[in-house]
Amino acid sequence: MKTLDVAEASTVGSDVADREVRYLIPESVYDYDHPEVIYWTKYFQEEAAKHNVFVNINATITSKRSITAAESMATAWYDFTRYVPVFLCKAVALTTDPERQHHLIQIAYDELGGRDKDFIHSNLFLEAIKDAGIELISESAASIKEVLSGLDRTLVGIKSQFGIVGLLLSFEIIAEENIETLFNCLCHDQKCERPLSDSPFFKIHRADETEHIRHSVANYLRFCKTDTQKREFKESFDAGIDFWQRFWDQNARIINMETDLRATA
């Protein structure tokens, strides 16, 4: 099966279903059609859905859609997308087994452009919002940084190697919903939809998030074998989904604060 690099992936968009999926690294066991991959992907997505992560942000953007809301979201996401590879590398550094490190580092490498530095995701994000006429806010009323610091504290507090694998799966399991929620928040009018959809940032993420999820589920199956290991994995997975709830709830608060401040300025 063909493996696409990041540059090739950038040329595809919503037609992902019509092409062969990309693989971060060759996979001979836990492929997309592996029964356990299918089962556990569905299981962990259903577990994540119980947290209703997107309730507040969806309600907020429905009532507050504007250029201010888009700029607030863009500012927060830029902080987040620069943080992602740093967080992933910290997680890998806290693991001790080289084989596990090999598998866990792959998504961080992907975030940093894979084989092409021109596809570093944080830089692609800046290009996407520029093309859509969205600017970053230089002095925001609030920030996402404390929520990110909280995730760092969660990571450092994990005592189990299997818990680290669980936290990293939680980081990816709702990635598709995250990207569509981001897109919805940035689309402050219809003119934004085309440039954002056509941007390498959204093309790559819409094409490849399924691979990040499959790869992370494969890591669960590959490394978590005993009941104790699975329990430690699940505890950290739940903590990671709690992070996403805090992340999106904070973005809802930031959007409300910024739009209210500009309305009264």
Side-chain angles (χ1 to χ4, degrees), residues 185-200:
C185 290
L186 294 177
C187 281
H188 59 90
D189 61 32
Q190 289 185 340
K191 292 184 293 184
C192 292
E193 293 182 11
R194 177 57 66 85
L196 288 173
S197 293
D198 288 347
S199 69

Side-chain angles (χ1 to χ4, degrees), residues 79-218:
D79 285 340
F80 172 71
T81 194
R82 286 186 299 169
Y83 164 82
V84 169
V86 177
F87 166 75
L88 294 176
C89 289
K90 284 181 184 176
V92 174
L94 291 173
T95 63
T96 56
D97 174 55
E99 181 182 351
R100 188 159 49 236
Q101 292 170 344
H102 168 78
H103 285 280
L104 296 182
I105 199 63
Q106 298 301 321
I107 295 175
Y109 181 61
D110 219 25
E111 291 285 334
L112 292 172
R115 292 192 291 268
D116 190 341
K117 64 181 177 60
D118 290 336
F119 286 84
I120 294 171
H121 288 191
S122 57
N123 292 342
L124 293 181
F125 180 70
L126 287 180
E127 293 173 10
I129 61 172
K130 180 180 179 181
D131 290 344
I134 299 168
E135 297 181 354
L136 299 180
I137 298 174
S138 58
E139 295 184 10
S140 180
S143 168
I144 203 68
K145 291 179 181 178
E146 179 53 36
V147 176
L148 302 182
S149 295
L151 184 60
D152 276 339
R153 291 191 292 271
T154 297
L155 173 62
V156 172
I158 294 174
K159 305 304 180 185
S160 161
Q161 301 280 301
F162 311 101
I164 292 173
V165 179
L167 189 64
L168 293 184
L169 175 59
S170 74
F171 210 61
E172 300 295 337
I173 197 67
I174 59 173
E176 293 163 319
E177 295 93 330
N178 282 337
I179 288 300
E180 295 311 317
T181 301
L182 172 64
F183 184 86
N184 187 37
C185 290
L186 294 177
C187 281
H188 59 90
D189 61 32
Q190 289 185 340
K191 292 184 293 184
C192 292
E193 293 182 11
R194 177 57 66 85
L196 288 173
S197 293
D198 288 347
S199 69
F201 177 85
F202 277 101
K203 283 185 175 182
I204 287 172
H205 285 79
R206 284 173 165 167
D208 291 344
E209 293 296 6
T210 52
E211 169 57 7
H212 288 188
I213 294 167
R214 184 214 60 81
H215 182 81
S216 299
V217 171

